[in-house]
Amino acid sequence: MQTYSVLKVHPDDSVAVAIRPLAKGDVVDVAGLKISLMTDIPSGHKFALKAIVQGEKVIKYGAPIGYAVTDIACGEHVHASNIKTTLSERAEYGYDKELSERFAQKAEQRRAAWKGKIPTIKAYRRANGTIGIRNELWIVPTVGCVNKIAENLVSWAQQNLKKAPFYDGIHVWSHPYGCSQLGDDHEATRTILSDLVHHPNAGGVLVLSLGCENNTPESFRALVGKVDENRVKFLTTQEVSDELEESKRLLTELYEAMRDDKREEVGMDNLIVGFKCGGSDGLSGITANPLVGRFCDALTAMGGTGILTEVPEMFGAEQLLMNRAVDEQVYNQIVALINDFKQYFVKHDQVVYENPSPGNKAGGISTLEDKSLGCIQKGGQAMITDVLGYGDRIKKRGLNLLNGPGNDIVSTTALTASGAHIILFTTGRGTPLGSPVPTIKISSNSALAEKKAHWIDFDAGRLLQEDEETVLADFITLIQRVASGEAMAKNEENGYAEISLFKDGVIL
């Protein structure tokens, strides 16, 4: 197998990426072109393949990632110091039906290739026809005032409810809201919490209220709607003399109701998988994100469901997503998704393109286009079948776009609330966080996988040394094992799981 030191991502690119640190004076071979490096090039960073004049667009992934603010010599480091974004708050988009149909034809070919070959997982069938890949007890507080009561209950349950084949543990989804919020923020909080009550990875749910909060127990119960009363219990702590003892009784009832639950074999096409990246580097768009994209193409070809979020990290690459809209209605929904999120920035007097973090830049990402073109690789080439608002739950199979920010905990919470059974989280810098569902961390480079083996589940850096089909097959096997409960994601092993809610308005 070839081991790369540099990589040109697309034939039209005017830059290449260093796969390992390179020194000034090194001569590298890029697709037969000999380049003498003018400066040191850190791993994940870019260098020019030709002289780029001031004002000229810099091409990576076959698309512009910015323009040169100075003349850049062949072999020179190309980064935030000498290129800038081309983005602005306004952009014009177009629906190319012919191009969309070509993507649809390729998607149909992938479906044909997977026909009769769908892998299986072992999951819990729920009464409403969905599946769960965990059978956990969840406590959902309607207001932050009862968080500590819920945490005490988790401690009690960990000591008194025995681990068993039908029971995968207990969690509380603490948050500071549910009261003193107004308007859209208040409704968004209620919607996300209601989504968690309905999540199929929970075999039993205790909804814990205070009683005087704005998110009143009565209104929240109405929002939650019809539930299996053996699997969802409600308790208002102000209405009972001993809230701990009453909660323990209800949790025990839920635990007993789960006793007959068993995993059974189901097709992998039943899976709903969320896609997320955080702490990206210059290799994220070359290894980890494309690997997740290959899985997305496979999953959607099987008939499964993927969810791509982080709308600000679509800016600069959004037309490529629009080209894959399944029809003009979905195309218009994507345009609205992008433009509405840009207006969110404008409303707060922020520019749309100041997105790459210091860690992103240290890892080799120079502009928002550079980040976005790598970020959307997680969606592969799948057709986009639907666009979801924040708090919406999945309605259609295929690849869905979900409204939400790039913030790691907020976006993983939104993915969970929309129905994701599992989240594939790519990273080039490393992160320990976990969502309410198994959160598989995929490193973009092997050094990170070795250094943070207790955080990282899969090393996508292998793609630089191994056959792509072998790596993809191993990746799918890992997802099958985690989904089937045969393995835990590292966030589960570490006990790292939390939520965070999107906030845009006034707190009283």
Side-chain angles (χ1 to χ4, degrees):
M1 296 296 174
Q2 182 176 1
T3 300
Y4 295 94
S5 61
V6 299
L7 187 64
K8 184 179 180 181
V9 182
H10 188 278
D12 296 337
D13 289 355
S14 58
V15 296
V17 179
I19 302 305
R20 58 176 177 80
L22 302 173
K24 179 180 179 179
D26 284 352
V27 177
V28 295
D29 186 322
V30 184
L33 182 66
K34 303 292 185 182
I35 304 288
S36 179
L37 299 178
M38 305 285 289
T39 55
D40 293 344
I41 310 294
S43 177
H45 285 241
K46 300 173 290 295
F47 60 91
L49 294 175
K50 67 181 188 68
I52 302 172
V53 301
Q54 184 177 357
E56 183 180 350
K57 288 181 178 178
V58 178
I59 307 300
K60 182 184 176 188
Y61 302 107
I65 61 168
Y67 69 93
V69 296
T70 64
D71 290 343
I72 303 173
C74 181
E76 187 177 344
H77 189 199
V78 176
H79 199 33
S81 61
N82 53 17
I83 68 171
K84 285 191 176 180
T85 180
T86 63
L87 296 181
S88 66
E89 281 66 32
R90 293 186 176 276
E92 296 295 327
Y93 307 115
Y95 177 60
D96 189 332
K97 185 177 180 180
E98 184 177 333
L99 183 55
S100 177
E101 287 174 350
R102 289 205 296 269
F103 277 111
Q105 289 170 1
K106 292 179 180 178
E108 185 59 41
Q109 291 169 1
R110 291 192 295 271
R111 280 192 289 272
W114 278 99
K115 189 174 182 180
K117 303 176 185 177
I118 297 175
T120 60
I121 58 172
K122 291 183 178 179
Y124 298 95
R125 285 200 182 275
R126 302 305 185 193
N128 63 1
T130 62
I131 66 158
I133 66 167
R134 294 292 182 267
N135 210 34
E136 297 172 333
L137 280 175
W138 286 8
I139 303 177
V140 177
T142 61
V143 65
C145 305
V146 297
N147 284 345
K148 293 302 177 183
I149 295 173
E151 290 168 13
N152 285 340
L153 290 169
V154 168
S155 297
W156 169 83
Q158 289 171 340
Q159 296 176 21
N160 291 274
L161 300 180
K162 294 180 180 179
K163 274 291 184 79
F166 64 85
Y167 173 61
D168 294 318
I170 184 169
H171 297 281
V172 55
W173 306 125
S174 300
H175 61 91
Y177 300 124
C179 202
S180 302
Q181 289 181 291
L182 299 174
D184 290 345
D185 277 358
H186 180 62
E187 289 309 312
T189 293
R190 285 161 38 81
T191 299
I192 294 293
L193 297 178
S194 175
D195 292 340
L196 294 176
V197 173
H198 286 282
H199 200 282
N201 282 8
V205 179
L206 174 62
V207 178
L208 197 64
S209 301
L210 181 61
C212 58
E213 61 267 35
N214 290 97
N215 184 20
T216 65
E218 297 79 15
S219 67
F220 184 68
R221 187 162 189 167
L223 177 65
V224 168
K226 185 177 179 181
V227 294
D228 182 344
E229 295 183 359
N230 292 319
R231 298 303 183 112
V232 180
K233 307 287 185 181
F234 296 83
L235 178 65
T236 302
T237 57
Q238 289 176 343
E239 293 182 353
V240 296
S241 57
D242 191 333
E243 67 281 353
L244 287 174
E245 287 306 311
E246 183 63 14
S247 297
K248 292 173 186 177
R249 183 183 69 79
L250 294 176
L251 287 171
T252 302
E253 288 182 4
L254 291 167
Y255 175 87
E256 291 299 326
M258 295 161 58
R259 188 172 290 278
D260 292 331
D261 294 347
K262 294 181 176 64
R263 290 183 182 269
E264 60 181 270
E265 197 167 272
V266 301
M268 204 169 183
D269 56 310
N270 287 279
L271 269 185
I272 302 173
V273 182
F275 307 130
K276 173 75 182 84
C277 55
S280 301
D281 69 356
L283 297 179
S284 293
I286 295 171
T287 58
N289 290 348
L291 176 63
V292 171
R294 284 290 309 276
F295 172 76
C296 176
D297 287 345
L299 179 68
T300 53
M302 295 174 200
T305 305
I307 314 169
L308 187 65
T309 187
E310 303 174 281
V311 177
E313 295 174 24
M314 300 173 189
F315 296 164
E318 62 267 47
Q319 183 65 66
L320 300 179
L321 293 172
M322 294 169 186
N323 292 342
R324 291 168 20 219
V326 72
D327 55 37
E328 193 164 1
Q329 179 180 356
V330 172
Y331 161 79
N332 289 328
Q333 291 174 332
I334 300 172
V335 172
L337 174 74
I338 298 297
N339 286 338
D340 288 351
F341 219 102
K342 285 185 177 181
Q343 282 304 118
Y344 164 67
F345 278 67
V346 171
K347 181 176 72 173
H348 290 281
D349 297 319
Q350 301 297 315
V351 293
V352 303
Y353 41 79
E354 290 296 336
N355 186 281
S357 68
N360 293 156
K361 291 180 178 179
I365 294 173
S366 307
T367 62
L368 181 51
E369 298 102 305
D370 194 1
K371 185 175 183 180
S372 294
L373 287 163
C375 180
I376 68 163
Q377 302 287 326
K378 298 191 301 294
Q381 298 294 306
M383 297 299 291
I384 296 167
T385 57
D386 203 6
V387 177
L388 305 175
Y390 180 72
D392 285 352
R393 280 180 265 166
I394 285 291
K395 301 181 288 293
K396 296 180 181 179
R397 295 192 178 212
L399 179 59
N400 291 244
L401 301 187
L402 169 65
N403 186 17
N407 178 275
D408 291 350
I409 309 177
V410 173
S411 57
T412 52
T413 301
L415 287 167
T416 301
S418 68
H421 297 110
I422 194 167
I423 293 173
L424 305 182
F425 192 121
T426 65
T427 180
R429 311 290 293 178
T431 179
L433 75 81
S435 72
V437 299
T439 308
I440 294 179
K441 302 289 173 43
I442 304 108
S443 67
S444 68
N445 60 86
S446 298
L448 173 61
E450 292 169 5
K451 181 180 180 181
K452 289 293 185 181
H454 56 296
W455 288 358
I456 301 299
D457 298 274
F458 194 88
D459 175 18
R462 291 172 51 190
L463 286 168
L464 300 174
Q465 299 181 3
E466 299 181 40
D467 176 71
E468 183 178 341
E469 296 303 323
T470 299
V471 177
L472 177 62
D474 289 348
F475 187 51
I476 291 175
T477 297
L478 172 66
I479 295 168
Q480 287 178 275
R481 295 188 68 243
V482 172
S484 299
E486 297 169 7
M488 298 175 71
K490 293 294 173 64
N491 79 292
E492 295 180 290
E493 291 180 0
N494 294 328
Y496 299 157
E498 57 190 312
I499 69 168
S500 183
L501 303 172
F502 191 59
K503 176 190 171 300
D504 184 36
V506 173
I507 291 183
L508 297 175

